[in-house]
Amino acid sequence: MNSSRDAAGSNLSALKCDLAGEVLRCSGSLRLGVTGWSMLPTIWPGDSLLIERAGWKDVRMGDVVLFGRDHRFFVHRVIAKSASAGVILTQGDGMPRPDLVVKGSELLGRVSFILRGRRRFEPRRSLHFYERIIAGLVCRFYWTARILVELHVIGQQERVVPCQN
């Protein structure tokens, strides 16, 4: 019974990714909500990303890009670019190893802005010293990411002011 539910969820996820990819290709921009934490501390679950369509020639080292693979989206940082092969190498800031090589056909766009609460900012091409320390801890210890995400959620809830009649 769970396997049919898992298959339906997988099909729905694949359909959502295909649709979002088509919107990005046709309109040139897309807004996506973040659920994962592979890009901690740069991008947090709950952030929204404004993504502009971009090809291999448009991205530079340090850019945060969106690519699609196996009906899933990934948003990771460009850590290498091969002119001869027309591919890029990406890695999540909070991941211990690089991804498999990203082909030009898998690259969908570049993150132009991160929306967090009422703030809107561009992703930097490199991490500050303290962010590299956090990313290193997240890479090595799952519990670090778990604690940081929980604290982040609590901090976001405290910023919401309830309406009073």
Side-chain angles (χ1 to χ4, degrees):
M1 184 151 159
N2 282 343
S3 62
S4 64
R5 208 177 308 153
D6 292 345
S10 178
N11 289 339
L12 182 58
S13 178
L15 181 61
K16 286 179 182 178
C17 286
D18 290 345
L19 180 59
E22 190 61 28
V23 167
L24 182 58
R25 281 187 280 281
C26 291
S27 72
S29 64
L30 179 67
R31 182 174 171 168
L32 283 179
V34 176
T35 57
W37 54 38
S38 65
M39 280 297 290
L40 286 175
T42 303
I43 301 172
W44 294 79
D47 287 352
S48 290
L49 306 177
L50 294 179
I51 299 161
E52 302 293 326
R53 182 179 51 223
W56 181 86
K57 292 180 181 181
D58 304 316
V59 299
R60 303 186 317 209
M61 292 279 295
D63 280 348
V64 178
V65 297
L66 170 72
F67 63 95
R69 182 177 286 156
D70 300 325
H71 301 291
R72 293 181 57 205
F73 282 152
F74 299 88
V75 174
H76 287 165
R77 189 176 303 279
V78 175
I79 60 169
K81 188 174 174 180
S82 171
S84 59
V87 297
I88 59 174
L89 188 61
T90 60
Q91 182 173 352
D93 291 349
M95 300 300 289
R97 290 178 294 287
D99 305 312
L100 296 175
V101 170
V102 178
K103 298 179 244 170
S105 60
E106 296 174 311
L107 180 64
L108 298 170
R110 177 180 51 234
V111 175
S112 55
F113 291 100
I114 300 168
L115 303 168
R116 183 174 302 143
R118 293 185 177 165
R119 293 179 39 219
R120 171 182 158 155
F121 53 94
E122 294 181 42
R124 288 188 310 280
R125 285 203 163 73
S126 62
L127 299 177
H128 290 301
F129 176 73
Y130 70 91
E131 291 172 321
R132 286 195 304 270
I133 291 171
I134 292 170
L137 289 171
V138 167
C139 286
R140 289 166 184 76
F141 306 107
Y142 172 80
W143 58 266
T144 304
R146 190 81 189 186
I147 290 169
L148 287 173
V149 169
E150 289 297 322
L151 291 173
H152 178 74
V153 168
I154 291 168
Q156 294 299 313
Q157 291 171 348
E158 289 177 358
R159 290 191 182 122
V160 175
V161 179
C163 295
Q164 295 181 8
N165 293 334

